[in-house]
Amino acid sequence: MEYTGKIMTSRGHVFQFNGQGTHFLSIAIVAELSLLAVQFIIGMWMNLFAVYPSYNNAFPMYGMMDIMFSIPELMVHMMIGVLIGLLSLMIFMMTLMLGDYKSMVVSAIASISILLAGLSGLEFIFSNFQNNTFSFTMSIGFIIAVISFVFLLYSISIESKAAHLHS
C-alpha cells in the first residue's frame, strides 16, 4: 500500500497523490534547496563585491533598468528569485494535494518567507541599497525557507518509509 493523499475539487473529483507524487514532491524540494543555495552564493557575491549605482535624490523611475544593466548579477539574482517563488508555490500546491496538515503549514511558512525575502530585496533596491534592515530581512526569509524545506523533505521521507513498512 502506497502513501496516498486525496483532495476533493469543487466539481467533486478526487485527485490521488500517491508514492510517485511524493517522489516528485521530494525532487521539487531538492531543486528548491539547490536554487536557494545558488541564490545565497549570488547574494553574498553582490553583498561583498558588487558596486551599486548611487542616486542623490529619490530612486528614479528608469533606475531599475539602469541597475539591471550595470549589475548583471542582480538581474540573475532576481530571476532566480522569481523561479524560487514559483517553485515554492508549486510545492505548496502539492502539499495541499498531499492532504497532510503539517506539510501544508510548513510549506506555507516557506512560501511566505520567500515572498518576504523577495519584497525585502525590492525594498533594499528602492532604498538606494542603503537600508540594511531590508537586506537583513531578506536573509531571515532565506534561512526560514531553507529550514522549512529541509524539515518538509525530512518529514516526507519519514512518512514514505512508514507507508512502505505498513504495506
PDB file of all heavy atoms in Angstrom, residues 37-54:
ATOM      1  N   ALA A  37      20.498  27.641  -2.600  1.00  0.00           N
ATOM      2  CA  ALA A  37      21.951  27.671  -2.394  1.00  0.00           C
ATOM      3  C   ALA A  37      22.622  28.573  -3.428  1.00  0.00           C
ATOM      4  O   ALA A  37      23.492  29.392  -3.087  1.00  0.00           O
ATOM      5  CB  ALA A  37      22.524  26.260  -2.469  1.00  0.00           C
ATOM      6  N   VAL A  38      22.215  28.446  -4.686  1.00  0.00           N
ATOM      7  CA  VAL A  38      22.765  29.309  -5.742  1.00  0.00           C
ATOM      8  C   VAL A  38      22.403  30.764  -5.449  1.00  0.00           C
ATOM      9  O   VAL A  38      23.241  31.670  -5.589  1.00  0.00           O
ATOM     10  CB  VAL A  38      22.244  28.859  -7.128  1.00  0.00           C
ATOM     11  CG1 VAL A  38      22.588  29.874  -8.206  1.00  0.00           C
ATOM     12  CG2 VAL A  38      22.791  27.487  -7.480  1.00  0.00           C
ATOM     13  N   GLN A  39      21.165  30.981  -5.023  1.00  0.00           N
ATOM     14  CA  GLN A  39      20.709  32.330  -4.698  1.00  0.00           C
ATOM     15  C   GLN A  39      21.550  32.926  -3.568  1.00  0.00           C
ATOM     16  O   GLN A  39      21.921  34.099  -3.618  1.00  0.00           O
ATOM     17  CB  GLN A  39      19.225  32.271  -4.303  1.00  0.00           C
ATOM     18  CG  GLN A  39      18.573  33.591  -4.102  1.00  0.00           C
ATOM     19  CD  GLN A  39      18.266  34.285  -5.407  1.00  0.00           C
ATOM     20  OE1 GLN A  39      18.997  34.213  -6.382  1.00  0.00           O
ATOM     21  NE2 GLN A  39      17.166  35.004  -5.427  1.00  0.00           N
ATOM     22  N   PHE A  40      21.865  32.129  -2.581  1.00  0.00           N
ATOM     23  CA  PHE A  40      22.695  32.590  -1.465  1.00  0.00           C
ATOM     24  C   PHE A  40      24.083  32.997  -1.956  1.00  0.00           C
ATOM     25  O   PHE A  40      24.609  34.040  -1.566  1.00  0.00           O
ATOM     26  CB  PHE A  40      22.804  31.496  -0.402  1.00  0.00           C
ATOM     27  CG  PHE A  40      23.722  31.846   0.725  1.00  0.00           C
ATOM     28  CD1 PHE A  40      23.301  32.701   1.731  1.00  0.00           C
ATOM     29  CD2 PHE A  40      25.007  31.327   0.780  1.00  0.00           C
ATOM     30  CE1 PHE A  40      24.153  33.032   2.779  1.00  0.00           C
ATOM     31  CE2 PHE A  40      25.860  31.654   1.825  1.00  0.00           C
ATOM     32  CZ  PHE A  40      25.427  32.508   2.821  1.00  0.00           C
ATOM     33  N   ILE A  41      24.675  32.172  -2.802  1.00  0.00           N
ATOM     34  CA  ILE A  41      26.025  32.460  -3.308  1.00  0.00           C
ATOM     35  C   ILE A  41      26.033  33.755  -4.116  1.00  0.00           C
ATOM     36  O   ILE A  41      26.911  34.612  -3.933  1.00  0.00           O
ATOM     37  CB  ILE A  41      26.550  31.275  -4.138  1.00  0.00           C
ATOM     38  CG1 ILE A  41      26.804  30.079  -3.217  1.00  0.00           C
ATOM     39  CG2 ILE A  41      27.809  31.652  -4.906  1.00  0.00           C
ATOM     40  CD1 ILE A  41      27.029  28.774  -3.933  1.00  0.00           C
ATOM     41  N   ILE A  42      25.060  33.924  -4.985  1.00  0.00           N
ATOM     42  CA  ILE A  42      24.991  35.154  -5.782  1.00  0.00           C
ATOM     43  C   ILE A  42      24.741  36.357  -4.881  1.00  0.00           C
ATOM     44  O   ILE A  42      25.348  37.426  -5.060  1.00  0.00           O
ATOM     45  CB  ILE A  42      23.914  35.041  -6.880  1.00  0.00           C
ATOM     46  CG1 ILE A  42      24.303  33.967  -7.889  1.00  0.00           C
ATOM     47  CG2 ILE A  42      23.715  36.386  -7.585  1.00  0.00           C
ATOM     48  CD1 ILE A  42      23.211  33.634  -8.879  1.00  0.00           C
ATOM     49  N   GLY A  43      23.850  36.193  -3.902  1.00  0.00           N
ATOM     50  CA  GLY A  43      23.563  37.289  -2.983  1.00  0.00           C
ATOM     51  C   GLY A  43      24.785  37.699  -2.175  1.00  0.00           C
ATOM     52  O   GLY A  43      25.048  38.890  -1.977  1.00  0.00           O
ATOM     53  N   MET A  44      25.556  36.728  -1.726  1.00  0.00           N
ATOM     54  CA  MET A  44      26.777  37.054  -0.983  1.00  0.00           C
ATOM     55  C   MET A  44      27.823  37.703  -1.897  1.00  0.00           C
ATOM     56  O   MET A  44      28.538  38.614  -1.473  1.00  0.00           O
ATOM     57  CB  MET A  44      27.354  35.801  -0.311  1.00  0.00           C
ATOM     58  CG  MET A  44      26.544  35.329   0.879  1.00  0.00           C
ATOM     59  SD  MET A  44      26.192  36.613   2.099  1.00  0.00           S
ATOM     60  CE  MET A  44      27.827  37.051   2.639  1.00  0.00           C
ATOM     61  N   TRP A  45      27.898  37.231  -3.133  1.00  0.00           N
ATOM     62  CA  TRP A  45      28.814  37.847  -4.098  1.00  0.00           C
ATOM     63  C   TRP A  45      28.473  39.330  -4.258  1.00  0.00           C
ATOM     64  O   TRP A  45      29.355  40.193  -4.208  1.00  0.00           O
ATOM     65  CB  TRP A  45      28.728  37.117  -5.440  1.00  0.00           C
ATOM     66  CG  TRP A  45      29.507  37.798  -6.523  1.00  0.00           C
ATOM     67  CD1 TRP A  45      29.055  38.751  -7.396  1.00  0.00           C
ATOM     68  CD2 TRP A  45      30.888  37.605  -6.832  1.00  0.00           C
ATOM     69  NE1 TRP A  45      30.061  39.157  -8.224  1.00  0.00           N
ATOM     70  CE2 TRP A  45      31.204  38.468  -7.898  1.00  0.00           C
ATOM     71  CE3 TRP A  45      31.880  36.791  -6.313  1.00  0.00           C
ATOM     72  CZ2 TRP A  45      32.468  38.524  -8.452  1.00  0.00           C
ATOM     73  CZ3 TRP A  45      33.136  36.857  -6.868  1.00  0.00           C
ATOM     74  CH2 TRP A  45      33.416  37.712  -7.918  1.00  0.00           C
ATOM     75  N   MET A  46      27.181  39.602  -4.436  1.00  0.00           N
ATOM     76  CA  MET A  46      26.777  41.007  -4.618  1.00  0.00           C
ATOM     77  C   MET A  46      27.019  41.814  -3.348  1.00  0.00           C
ATOM     78  O   MET A  46      27.439  42.970  -3.422  1.00  0.00           O
ATOM     79  CB  MET A  46      25.303  41.081  -5.021  1.00  0.00           C
ATOM     80  CG  MET A  46      25.052  40.573  -6.409  1.00  0.00           C
ATOM     81  SD  MET A  46      23.392  40.849  -7.007  1.00  0.00           S
ATOM     82  CE  MET A  46      22.396  40.511  -5.617  1.00  0.00           C
ATOM     83  N   ASN A  47      26.763  41.211  -2.204  1.00  0.00           N
ATOM     84  CA  ASN A  47      26.964  41.905  -0.943  1.00  0.00           C
ATOM     85  C   ASN A  47      28.426  42.292  -0.748  1.00  0.00           C
ATOM     86  O   ASN A  47      28.741  43.363  -0.226  1.00  0.00           O
ATOM     87  CB  ASN A  47      26.481  41.015   0.212  1.00  0.00           C
ATOM     88  CG  ASN A  47      26.491  41.719   1.541  1.00  0.00           C
ATOM     89  OD1 ASN A  47      26.336  42.920   1.633  1.00  0.00           O
ATOM     90  ND2 ASN A  47      26.687  40.950   2.586  1.00  0.00           N
ATOM     91  N   LEU A  48      29.334  41.436  -1.202  1.00  0.00           N
ATOM     92  CA  LEU A  48      30.754  41.681  -0.971  1.00  0.00           C
ATOM     93  C   LEU A  48      31.451  42.440  -2.099  1.00  0.00           C
ATOM     94  O   LEU A  48      32.356  43.228  -1.846  1.00  0.00           O
ATOM     95  CB  LEU A  48      31.474  40.345  -0.747  1.00  0.00           C
ATOM     96  CG  LEU A  48      31.031  39.566   0.497  1.00  0.00           C
ATOM     97  CD1 LEU A  48      31.646  38.183   0.490  1.00  0.00           C
ATOM     98  CD2 LEU A  48      31.402  40.331   1.755  1.00  0.00           C
ATOM     99  N   PHE A  49      31.036  42.208  -3.353  1.00  0.00           N
ATOM    100  CA  PHE A  49      31.831  42.701  -4.477  1.00  0.00           C
ATOM    101  C   PHE A  49      31.112  43.636  -5.443  1.00  0.00           C
ATOM    102  O   PHE A  49      31.781  44.316  -6.223  1.00  0.00           O
ATOM    103  CB  PHE A  49      32.390  41.516  -5.280  1.00  0.00           C
ATOM    104  CG  PHE A  49      33.213  40.571  -4.452  1.00  0.00           C
ATOM    105  CD1 PHE A  49      32.799  39.271  -4.253  1.00  0.00           C
ATOM    106  CD2 PHE A  49      34.401  40.979  -3.859  1.00  0.00           C
ATOM    107  CE1 PHE A  49      33.553  38.388  -3.494  1.00  0.00           C
ATOM    108  CE2 PHE A  49      35.152  40.105  -3.096  1.00  0.00           C
ATOM    109  CZ  PHE A  49      34.728  38.800  -2.905  1.00  0.00           C
ATOM    110  N   ALA A  50      29.798  43.663  -5.443  1.00  0.00           N
ATOM    111  CA  ALA A  50      29.085  44.482  -6.431  1.00  0.00           C
ATOM    112  C   ALA A  50      29.198  45.962  -6.083  1.00  0.00           C
ATOM    113  O   ALA A  50      29.201  46.350  -4.918  1.00  0.00           O
ATOM    114  CB  ALA A  50      27.621  44.077  -6.513  1.00  0.00           C
ATOM    115  N   VAL A  51      29.295  46.766  -7.133  1.00  0.00           N
ATOM    116  CA  VAL A  51      29.308  48.220  -6.984  1.00  0.00           C
ATOM    117  C   VAL A  51      27.954  48.724  -7.449  1.00  0.00           C
ATOM    118  O   VAL A  51      27.578  48.566  -8.611  1.00  0.00           O
ATOM    119  CB  VAL A  51      30.439  48.852  -7.821  1.00  0.00           C
ATOM    120  CG1 VAL A  51      30.406  50.362  -7.695  1.00  0.00           C
ATOM    121  CG2 VAL A  51      31.782  48.292  -7.400  1.00  0.00           C
ATOM    122  N   TYR A  52      27.201  49.300  -6.522  1.00  0.00           N
ATOM    123  CA  TYR A  52      25.842  49.739  -6.817  1.00  0.00           C
ATOM    124  C   TYR A  52      25.855  51.191  -7.275  1.00  0.00           C
ATOM    125  O   TYR A  52      26.603  52.010  -6.743  1.00  0.00           O
ATOM    126  CB  TYR A  52      24.961  49.603  -5.581  1.00  0.00           C
ATOM    127  CG  TYR A  52      24.847  48.179  -5.096  1.00  0.00           C
ATOM    128  CD1 TYR A  52      25.486  47.772  -3.929  1.00  0.00           C
ATOM    129  CD2 TYR A  52      24.126  47.249  -5.810  1.00  0.00           C
ATOM    130  CE1 TYR A  52      25.387  46.472  -3.481  1.00  0.00           C
ATOM    131  CE2 TYR A  52      24.022  45.932  -5.370  1.00  0.00           C
ATOM    132  CZ  TYR A  52      24.657  45.557  -4.205  1.00  0.00           C
ATOM    133  OH  TYR A  52      24.566  44.269  -3.767  1.00  0.00           O
ATOM    134  N   PRO A  53      25.005  51.514  -8.241  1.00  0.00           N
ATOM    135  CA  PRO A  53      24.908  52.921  -8.654  1.00  0.00           C
ATOM    136  C   PRO A  53      24.315  53.758  -7.527  1.00  0.00           C
ATOM    137  O   PRO A  53      23.539  53.249  -6.720  1.00  0.00           O
ATOM    138  CB  PRO A  53      23.985  52.880  -9.871  1.00  0.00           C
ATOM    139  CG  PRO A  53      23.248  51.612  -9.761  1.00  0.00           C
ATOM    140  CD  PRO A  53      24.102  50.665  -8.992  1.00  0.00           C
ATOM    141  N   SER A  54      24.708  55.003  -7.476  1.00  0.00           N
ATOM    142  CA  SER A  54      24.235  55.890  -6.425  1.00  0.00           C
ATOM    143  C   SER A  54      23.337  56.961  -7.025  1.00  0.00           C
ATOM    144  O   SER A  54      23.656  57.541  -8.066  1.00  0.00           O
ATOM    145  CB  SER A  54      25.437  56.537  -5.735  1.00  0.00           C
ATOM    146  OG  SER A  54      25.007  57.460  -4.791  1.00  0.00           O
TER     147      SER A  54
END
